[in-house]
Amino acid sequence: ISAFLTPDHQHCDALFAAAEAAAAQGDWHAAAEAWSRFQDALRHHFAMEEEVMFPAFEARTGMTQGPTQVMRMEHRQMSDLLNQLSDAAARQDADAFLGDCETLLIIMQQHNMKEEQMLYHMADQVLAGEAEEVIGRMRAVSG
């Protein structure tokens, strides 16, 4: 599970960096395209976790008020920022966009660290016997 989801974090990070760089250069056409790709990838990542991995983890551990609850809350927080950023990009408001990018980057870095250093390792352990099936279901999530 770690080996599947961690590279997806890195993929999302690269798309985010491209959108931020294009906006910083004032290339709003490229920024809009990159932002769309990033937003789609991040929302797909959230869906894989929330529709497949989190429920599998919760079913196996019985923990529904633990780390997955925190991750869902942070996903909602990031989704709210995605909406703000999309609005700023549509208005081509560089100050608002780049300022919110800084906030999102910090939240994403902290979130990813918690997932990669804690939750994914826990999932690797508790879902070891069904990891391939869980990964297969995550791959099947539409995005």
Side-chain angles (χ1 to χ4, degrees):
I1 296 193
S2 293
F4 177 73
L5 289 172
T6 298
D8 200 51
H9 278 168
Q10 295 161 349
H11 172 70
C12 290
D13 290 347
L15 294 173
F16 175 80
E20 186 179 33
Q25 294 170 356
D27 186 346
W28 287 104
H29 177 73
E33 288 182 6
W35 181 252
S36 178
R37 286 192 301 278
F38 163 70
Q39 190 170 223
D40 290 348
L42 189 62
R43 291 188 192 280
H44 180 253
H45 182 86
F46 291 168
M48 288 191 299
E49 291 179 339
E50 292 183 8
E51 294 173 19
V52 178
M53 197 274 278
F54 292 175
F57 178 85
E58 292 165 348
R60 179 67 61 197
T61 64
M63 287 194 290
T64 58
Q65 301 301 311
T68 53
Q69 181 185 34
V70 173
M71 296 302 107
R72 282 186 180 98
M73 181 192 70
E74 292 178 1
H75 287 175
R76 283 191 300 278
Q77 184 181 19
M78 287 184 275
S79 290
D80 290 345
L81 268 170
L82 290 178
N83 294 335
Q84 282 179 227
L85 278 151
S86 293
D87 181 58
R91 290 183 283 113
Q92 297 185 3
D93 183 338
D95 290 338
F97 186 84
L98 296 172
D100 285 342
C101 275
E102 283 185 45
T103 303
L104 181 59
L105 179 61
I106 291 166
I107 293 169
M108 283 192 310
Q109 287 174 331
Q110 292 172 346
H111 177 84
N112 292 354
M113 189 181 312
K114 285 184 266 190
E115 285 188 334
E116 293 171 14
Q117 294 180 0
M118 185 188 68
L119 182 58
Y120 291 173
H121 290 296
M122 293 169 67
D124 285 340
Q125 292 174 346
V126 301
L127 298 172
E130 58 194 291
E132 289 305 315
E133 188 266 334
V134 169
I135 291 169
R137 287 192 293 131
M138 283 193 285
R139 288 186 199 281
V141 169
S142 61

